[in-house]
Amino acid sequence: MPPRVGRALCHAAFLALALLVAAPARAGKPDPREIVRLVEAIRSGSMAERNRAAERLRHLQDPTARRLLEDMLGAHGSETRANAAWALGITRDRAATAALLRALADESAEVRRSAAQAVGELGGTRTIEPLGRLLDDPDRYVRATALKALARTADSRALPPLLRALRSHDLELRLVAATALGRRPEVRVRQALRDRLRGDPSSAVRFVIARALAEAADKAGFVYLGRALGADSDRAVRRQAATLLALARDPESAAALRRALADEDEEVRTLASAALARRAERDQAAGQRSKP
C-alpha cells in the first residue's frame, strides 16, 4: 500500500473514532426542561426530592442551573433562599461563590447558615474573611457553621478567626476551634492551646486541647491527662486519659497510670494496664534498636 494511501486511511479512521466519541457527549447534553424541573424540585420539593435534584445537578454541572439557583437567592421566602444556597454548595460550582458570599448577609439566620455551609463546601481564600465575620453573628448555629467551614481550610489566613474562637464565650465555638487547631502544626497554635489548657473554664474544652497536645507529643497535654486520670470525677474522662497516656514517655505519666490500677472503675483499670503494657513494649523495642 502506498504511504499516502495508508496515511489517508489512518486519518479517516481517526476522524471516525472522534465522531463516535463526540456523539455521546452531544447526546448527553443537559435537557433545559430537566434543569428547570430539578431547580423547581429544590425550590419546593420534599427533602428526598431536593437531595436527588441537587445530586443530579452536581453531576450535570450546568451553568444554567447555577444561574437559576442564584436567582432563587433573591426569592421572597427564606426557605426557598436557604434551599438555593444549600443546593449551590452541593453542586460545588465555584462560579457561585460571589452570590453565596452576598447571601451571608441575608436577614434570615436560616439562609445565612445554609450559605455558610455552602461557602465551606466551595472553599477558596476569598471566603475566609466573610466567614470570620460570621463568628459574631447573633445566631449560634450560624456562628458554629461558619467556624466549621473555616476549620476545613489549611490556609494560614484562617488562623486568626480560629484563635479568636478559642477565646470565645461560646462553648461550642471553643470546642470546634480546639479540635480544629489541634490538627495544625504552627508553633503559635501550640502555644495558644497550652495557654487555653491552663485557663479554660470548661473541662470538655480542656480535655479536647489535652488530647490534641498529647497526640502531638506535647508535655503539657500529658501533664493535664495525668491529673485528670487521678482526679476527674467523670469516669469517661479518666478512661480517655488512660488511653491517651499510652502515647507518653515521661515517668510522671507512667506513675499516674500505675496509680490508676487501683481506680474504682474496672474499665479505667483495664485501660491503664493496657497503656502500661504498650509503653513497656515500645520501650523494649527502642532498647533493642539502640543495641549495636
Side-chain angles (χ1 to χ4, degrees):
M1 179 183 299
R4 289 186 179 178
V5 175
R7 285 196 297 270
L9 288 174
C10 288
H11 184 64
F14 176 79
L15 287 176
L17 180 61
L19 289 172
L20 286 172
V21 171
R26 290 195 299 270
K29 186 177 180 180
D31 183 342
R33 291 169 298 182
E34 181 190 11
I35 296 297
V36 171
R37 287 196 300 270
L38 292 170
V39 171
E40 188 57 34
I42 288 170
R43 179 192 298 273
S44 57
S46 66
M47 182 178 294
E49 290 168 340
R50 292 199 302 270
N51 283 328
R52 287 194 296 269
E55 284 299 321
R56 175 62 176 158
L57 289 175
R58 182 175 67 85
H59 173 73
L60 293 174
Q61 289 293 304
D62 185 75
T64 301
R66 172 176 48 79
R67 290 192 292 270
L68 290 173
L69 290 171
E70 288 177 347
D71 289 344
M72 279 173 59
L73 289 174
H76 290 299
S78 61
E79 184 178 359
T80 299
R81 299 197 303 276
N83 288 344
W86 166 81
L88 285 168
I90 296 294
T91 61
R92 298 188 181 176
D93 184 346
R94 287 198 170 186
T97 300
L100 286 168
L101 289 177
R102 291 192 294 273
L104 293 178
D106 195 279
E107 63 183 16
S108 165
E110 180 186 11
V111 177
R112 296 196 303 277
R113 186 163 64 248
S114 294
Q117 182 178 354
V119 166
E121 293 288 342
L122 299 181
T125 57
R126 64 189 292 202
T127 68
I128 293 174
E129 185 177 347
L131 286 171
R133 289 196 293 269
L134 284 186
L135 298 185
D136 297 317
D137 194 274
D139 185 271
R140 61 186 290 253
Y141 297 108
V142 172
R143 295 194 299 268
T145 302
L147 185 59
K148 289 173 183 175
L150 283 169
R152 296 172 60 177
T153 177
D155 195 296
S156 61
R157 281 168 284 195
L159 277 182
L162 286 170
L163 290 170
R164 181 161 63 90
L166 188 64
R167 302 185 299 272
S168 171
H169 67 278
D170 186 323
L171 173 60
E172 186 176 5
L173 288 191
R174 298 203 309 278
L175 283 169
V176 173
T179 302
L181 290 168
R183 296 191 290 265
R184 303 194 66 121
E186 291 90 344
V187 173
R188 63 170 169 156
V189 169
R190 194 66 51 78
Q191 186 58 53
L193 290 172
R194 292 192 202 105
D195 292 344
R196 200 65 200 178
L197 181 60
R198 290 191 288 268
D200 198 279
S202 166
S203 60
V205 174
R206 294 196 303 273
F207 192 84
V208 168
I209 294 173
R211 179 177 61 195
L213 291 174
E215 290 174 347
D218 188 293
K219 186 177 180 180
F222 290 131
V223 170
Y224 178 84
L225 290 168
R227 292 172 182 166
L229 180 58
D232 201 289
S233 60
D234 188 339
R235 62 184 180 181
V237 172
R238 299 199 306 278
R239 290 172 181 177
Q240 292 183 69
T243 300
L244 288 166
L245 284 175
L247 302 171
R249 295 180 181 275
D250 60 296
E252 292 84 359
S253 296
L257 286 168
R258 286 193 291 271
R259 289 192 295 270
L261 296 176
D263 194 278
E264 63 182 19
D265 183 75
E266 181 181 0
E267 188 167 347
V268 171
R269 298 195 300 271
T270 300
L271 290 169
S273 177
L276 286 167
R278 288 197 295 275
R279 286 168 60 107
E281 290 173 1
R282 184 186 62 211
D283 293 344
Q284 182 179 8
Q288 290 175 348
R289 286 195 299 270
S290 65
K291 289 180 180 179

